[in-house]
Amino acid sequence: MSNWNNESEAREQIKALVAEYYKDFKKTEQDKEFTPGDRISYASRVYDEKEMMALTDATLDFWLTTGRFSDQFEKEFANWIGAKYAHLVNSGSSANLIAFMALTAPELGDRQIKKGDEVITVACGFPTTVTPAIQYGAVPVFVDVTVPQYNIDVAQLEAALSPKTKAVMIAHTLGNPFDLKHVREFCNKHNLWLVEDNCDALGTKYTIDGETRFSGTWGDIGTSSFYPPHHMTMGEGGCVYTNNPELHRLILSFRDWGRDCICPSGQDNFCKHRFDGQYGELPVGYDHKYVYSHFGYNLKVTDMQAAVGCEQLKKFPSFIERRRYNWDRLRKNLEEVSDKIILPEPAENSEPSWFGFLISVREDSGLDRNKVTKYIEEHNVQTRLLFSGNLIKHPCFDQIRGTDAYRVIGELKNTDFIMSHTFWVGVYPGMTDEKIDYMAKVIKEAVNQ
């Protein structure tokens, strides 16, 4: 028999053992001294015993689905980022799906996105910013980007506009925000929705007319990802946030099976009208818990994931500062080879929370991007390309290439340049000065070889 007097005491002892386990086995992995030549990943989790204890706490609840930790995270995250409503989902890609699908709801009247309507976006980025529109039957309109900001070229927005345009849905690139002032004004002028894919820029600040906010809160809807390489992690996980109460309700509906009911998970008759309504062509009094107002999904997060997120959120401000420090240190180190590579520049009026450090090989340098990255990888520094490079060149477009399923504005010259000349390395908060300096040394060797 155990020596526990009650469940609370048992829980605390179990969590204390988990903390000891972390200190004996996991902490040593994270604190291992760097030796030049050791593998440097572009990203990694940064955590301590607190996350493992919170995960254990949630596991002992054995609630498994969305619960108290999810509620806690949503409230604390919304308060931190400055949004009225925040809703956890199971990934950043699901966050983008829900953000887009909420805008297809008939409740939005003339602003509802219907099949055949257009959404302005870019081809240089991650596919799941665009995928929901294509799968739904909307038409993405691809605009070029600028270098060295690697974000949408706002000078092309008016050319992309048509009578069918309903929204702009674009991502902030590796922490660097797009020109939010220009894009927000464009959307206001033409009564368009703005969805900020904030998955790679959580913690970035942007100032418009003297007002500073976090990226993701200037648009109608913002999205985030908590995948392990991202700014903070739950393992898998994402979030959709808004200040619009109507979009808030729609986001919840599409996330939770498309239901009309707003009862929290595990609660019945929250609205006190479970059996007295009439919906669609259903009989009067049909159980409101099983009334579906939209074709939705089940994309909720588990409470175990949310428990990890609650602890990560406490550390998050320090993560942001370290990312900025690492990015600045790396850029200063690489200034001496700026005649051969294009170094990234932050957007005006911004304070980025960097996800990575973008490098483009100059066309007149005589260098080959693939040879450069091959050298860097051979010296145990992990590299990544800027995701799809040019999404419309990928096999997923084979069956729709050249059709009216999408439109392209201009020639996407910078997008193609990035596809062939650009790569990036990490600046995640677990990187030490020694790792940053070693990366810089290897990159300089790669471009000087």
Side-chain angles (χ1 to χ4, degrees):
M1 294 185 63
S2 73
N3 296 318
W4 295 329
N5 294 315
N6 53 53
E7 182 187 359
S8 178
E9 181 180 313
R11 187 179 288 251
E12 291 307 310
Q13 288 188 24
I14 291 168
K15 286 160 61 178
L17 286 171
V18 170
E20 288 183 28
Y21 175 87
Y22 167 82
K23 290 170 183 174
D24 287 344
F25 299 104
K26 294 296 183 182
K27 190 174 188 298
T28 53
E29 294 177 12
Q30 299 194 84
D31 291 348
K32 181 184 175 184
E33 186 174 340
F34 173 71
T35 302
D38 288 349
R39 182 68 166 164
I40 301 178
S41 301
Y42 80 96
S44 185
R45 304 159 301 172
V46 177
Y47 67 100
D48 60 25
E49 73 276 10
K50 299 292 179 53
E51 281 85 349
M52 295 185 71
M53 291 167 68
L55 179 60
T56 302
D57 205 9
T59 303
L60 292 173
D61 286 349
F62 210 68
W63 180 250
L64 302 182
T65 186
T66 295
R68 66 182 177 102
F69 286 103
S70 303
D71 292 342
Q72 178 185 338
F73 182 88
E74 289 176 342
K75 291 175 184 175
E76 292 177 354
F77 181 85
N79 181 64
W80 175 81
I81 202 168
K84 290 181 180 177
Y85 313 102
H87 302 296
L88 280 171
V89 292
N90 58 9
S91 73
S93 297
S94 292
N96 283 342
L97 174 62
I98 293 301
F100 176 83
M101 290 304 296
L103 302 180
T104 70
E107 291 94 323
L108 299 177
D110 291 342
R111 300 192 69 190
Q112 175 192 8
I113 298 178
K114 298 179 180 178
K115 297 180 191 303
D117 284 339
E118 295 181 349
V119 179
I120 297 173
T121 188
V122 299
C124 183
F126 203 73
T128 54
T129 311
V130 178
T131 299
I134 291 177
Q135 291 179 333
Y136 174 74
V139 177
V141 179
F142 293 110
V143 173
D144 207 359
V145 297
T146 62
V147 176
Q149 291 81 22
Y150 303 93
N151 278 307
I152 188 168
D153 182 356
V154 295
Q156 297 186 11
L157 282 171
E158 291 291 343
L161 187 70
S162 85
K164 293 184 177 181
T165 308
K166 288 288 182 68
V168 175
M169 185 168 177
I170 41 180
H172 302 293
T173 302
L174 296 196
N176 205 14
F178 56 78
D179 187 341
L180 272 161
K181 177 178 172 61
H182 196 120
V183 175
R184 181 71 269 179
E185 289 174 351
F186 173 78
C187 289
N188 289 344
K189 177 182 176 182
H190 299 289
N191 198 31
L192 307 177
W193 299 110
L194 173 57
V195 178
E196 292 179 69
D197 180 337
N198 199 38
C199 291
D200 290 347
L202 188 61
T204 288
K205 292 180 179 178
Y206 193 90
T207 302
I208 298 178
D209 299 332
E211 181 182 0
T212 301
R213 297 188 206 168
F214 283 115
S215 59
T217 63
W218 285 104
D220 297 288
I221 304 176
T223 63
S224 286
S225 170
F226 304 129
Y227 191 62
H230 281 272
H231 288 72
M232 56 169 282
T233 188
M234 295 181 181
E236 298 285 354
C239 198
V240 191
Y241 32 101
T242 185
N243 286 309
N244 183 313
E246 184 171 35
L247 294 179
H248 147 67
R249 171 145 186 163
L250 292 171
I251 289 164
L252 270 180
S253 177
F254 279 97
R255 187 196 70 173
D256 298 2
W257 307 284
R259 63 180 182 161
D260 199 79
C261 175
I262 61 168
C263 287
S265 182
Q267 294 187 35
D268 291 344
N269 207 22
F270 180 78
C271 64
K272 308 301 182 186
H273 296 286
R274 182 178 173 187
F275 298 110
D276 60 12
Q278 201 282 316
Y279 307 93
E281 297 184 0
L282 293 168
V284 174
Y286 196 83
D287 188 348
H288 191 215
K289 283 188 72 72
Y290 294 97
V291 173
Y292 303 98
S293 49
H294 307 101
F295 292 107
Y297 313 90
N298 177 12
L299 300 177
K300 297 191 300 299
V301 75
T302 69
D303 230 28
M304 288 82 77
Q305 293 166 270
V308 173
C310 288
E311 293 301 325
Q312 286 273 289
L313 192 57
K314 296 174 185 176
K315 297 179 173 68
F316 192 52
S318 67
F319 290 174
I320 297 170
E321 291 307 311
R322 187 69 199 192
R323 285 179 177 275
R324 289 177 180 149
Y325 172 87
N326 287 343
W327 191 93
D328 289 341
R329 187 180 184 93
L330 183 56
R331 196 182 193 286
K332 184 177 181 180
N333 258 315
L334 294 177
E335 285 282 0
E336 64 187 76
V337 289
S338 60
D339 59 325
K340 296 181 179 179
I341 59 176
I342 301 172
L343 297 176
E345 294 181 7
E348 288 186 34
N349 305 309
S350 75
E351 190 179 349
S353 173
W354 297 105
F355 184 45
F357 190 94
L358 275 159
I359 297 169
S360 291
V361 173
R362 293 187 182 275
E363 287 185 290
D364 59 1
S365 67
L367 294 169
D368 177 272
R369 190 267 313 275
N370 290 350
K371 290 181 180 178
V372 170
T373 54
K374 183 173 184 289
Y375 181 93
I376 295 170
E377 291 276 357
E378 286 173 347
H379 287 75
N380 258 347
V381 175
Q382 195 172 37
T383 65
R384 286 291 184 266
L385 301 185
L386 188 47
F387 309 128
S388 67
N390 184 344
L391 183 59
I392 65 176
K393 303 281 189 180
H394 285 253
C396 56
F397 270 73
D398 285 353
Q399 290 191 314
I400 62 171
R401 192 172 288 111
T403 71
D404 59 3
Y406 64 97
R407 289 201 298 122
V408 177
I409 304 303
E411 299 179 5
L412 303 186
K413 287 184 178 180
N414 284 337
T415 299
D416 285 339
F417 168 83
I418 291 165
M419 177 177 62
S420 300
H421 293 82
T422 302
F423 68 98
W424 61 279
V425 294
V427 292
Y428 76 94
M431 284 188 174
T432 61
D433 288 357
E434 292 76 17
K435 289 182 179 181
I436 294 291
D437 294 346
Y438 179 76
M439 278 202 307
K441 173 179 175 292
V442 169
I443 292 167
K444 285 185 283 190
E445 289 175 356
V447 300
N448 285 326
Q449 63 180 313

Coordinates of all heavy atoms in Angstrom, one line a residue, residues 93 96 122-131 171 197 200 386-389 391:
S93 N -1.8 24.4 -39.3 CA -2.6 24.1 -40.6 C -4.1 24.1 -40.3 O -4.8 24.6 -41.1 CB -2.1 22.8 -41.2 OG -0.7 22.9 -41.5
N96 N -5.3 27.6 -39.9 CA -5.6 28.2 -41.2 C -6.9 27.7 -41.8 O -7.6 28.5 -42.4 CB -4.4 28.0 -42.1 CG -3.2 28.9 -41.8 OD1 -3.4 29.9 -41.1 ND2 -2.1 28.6 -42.3
V122 N 0.2 34.8 -51.6 CA 1.5 34.7 -52.2 C 1.8 33.2 -52.5 O 1.4 32.4 -51.7 CB 2.7 35.4 -51.5 CG1 2.4 36.9 -51.3 CG2 2.9 34.7 -50.1
A123 N 2.7 33.0 -53.5 CA 3.1 31.6 -53.8 C 4.4 31.2 -53.1 O 4.7 30.0 -53.0 CB 3.3 31.4 -55.3
C124 N 5.0 32.2 -52.5 CA 6.3 32.0 -51.8 C 6.0 31.8 -50.3 O 5.9 32.8 -49.6 CB 7.2 33.2 -52.0 SG 8.9 32.9 -51.2
G125 N 5.8 30.6 -49.9 CA 5.5 30.4 -48.5 C 5.1 28.9 -48.2 O 5.4 28.0 -49.0
F126 N 4.4 28.7 -47.1 CA 4.0 27.4 -46.7 C 2.6 27.1 -47.4 O 1.7 27.9 -47.4 CB 3.9 27.3 -45.2 CG 4.0 25.9 -44.7 CD1 5.3 25.2 -44.7 CD2 2.9 25.2 -44.2 CE1 5.4 23.9 -44.3 CE2 3.1 23.9 -43.8 CZ 4.3 23.2 -43.8
P127 N 2.4 25.8 -47.9 CA 1.2 25.6 -48.6 C -0.1 25.7 -47.9 O -1.1 26.0 -48.5 CB 1.4 24.1 -49.1 CG 2.5 23.5 -48.2 CD 3.3 24.7 -47.9
T128 N -0.1 25.4 -46.6 CA -1.4 25.4 -45.9 C -2.0 26.8 -45.6 O -3.1 26.9 -45.0 CB -1.3 24.6 -44.6 OG1 -0.3 25.1 -43.7 CG2 -1.1 23.2 -44.9
T129 N -1.3 27.9 -46.0 CA -1.9 29.2 -46.1 C -2.9 29.3 -47.2 O -3.8 30.0 -47.2 CB -0.8 30.3 -46.2 OG1 0.2 30.1 -45.3 CG2 -1.4 31.7 -46.0
V130 N -2.6 28.5 -48.3 CA -3.4 28.5 -49.5 C -4.3 27.4 -49.7 O -5.4 27.5 -50.3 CB -2.4 28.6 -50.7 CG1 -3.1 28.5 -52.1 CG2 -1.4 29.8 -50.6
T131 N -3.9 26.2 -49.1 CA -4.7 25.0 -49.3 C -6.2 25.1 -49.0 O -7.0 24.6 -49.8 CB -4.1 23.9 -48.5 OG1 -2.7 23.6 -48.9 CG2 -4.8 22.6 -48.6
A171 N 1.0 35.1 -44.9 CA 1.8 34.8 -43.7 C 2.9 35.9 -43.6 O 3.4 36.4 -44.6 CB 2.4 33.4 -43.8
D197 N -1.7 34.8 -41.2 CA -1.1 33.6 -40.9 C 0.2 34.0 -40.0 O 1.2 34.4 -40.6 CB -0.7 32.8 -42.1 CG 0.0 31.5 -41.8 OD1 0.6 31.4 -40.7 OD2 0.0 30.6 -42.6
D200 N 4.6 31.8 -38.1 CA 6.1 32.0 -38.1 C 6.5 33.3 -37.4 O 7.6 33.7 -37.6 CB 6.7 31.8 -39.5 CG 6.6 30.5 -40.0 OD1 6.3 29.5 -39.3 OD2 6.8 30.3 -41.2
L386 N 13.0 28.2 -48.2 CA 11.8 29.0 -47.8 C 10.6 28.3 -48.2 O 9.9 28.7 -49.2 CB 11.9 30.4 -48.3 CG 10.8 31.4 -47.8 CD1 10.7 31.3 -46.3 CD2 11.1 32.8 -48.2
F387 N 10.3 27.1 -47.6 CA 9.2 26.3 -47.8 C 8.9 25.9 -49.2 O 9.8 25.3 -49.8 CB 7.9 27.0 -47.1 CG 8.2 27.4 -45.7 CD1 7.9 28.7 -45.3 CD2 8.7 26.5 -44.8 CE1 8.2 29.1 -44.0 CE2 9.0 26.9 -43.5 CZ 8.7 28.2 -43.1
S388 N 7.9 26.3 -49.8 CA 7.6 25.9 -51.2 C 8.4 26.6 -52.2 O 8.4 26.2 -53.4 CB 6.1 26.1 -51.5 OG 5.8 27.5 -51.5
G389 N 9.0 27.7 -51.9 CA 9.7 28.5 -52.9 C 8.7 29.2 -53.8 O 8.4 30.4 -53.7
L391 N 5.0 27.9 -54.9 CA 4.0 26.9 -54.7 C 3.4 26.3 -56.0 O 3.2 25.1 -56.2 CB 2.9 27.3 -53.8 CG 1.8 26.3 -53.4 CD1 2.4 25.1 -52.7 CD2 0.8 27.0 -52.6

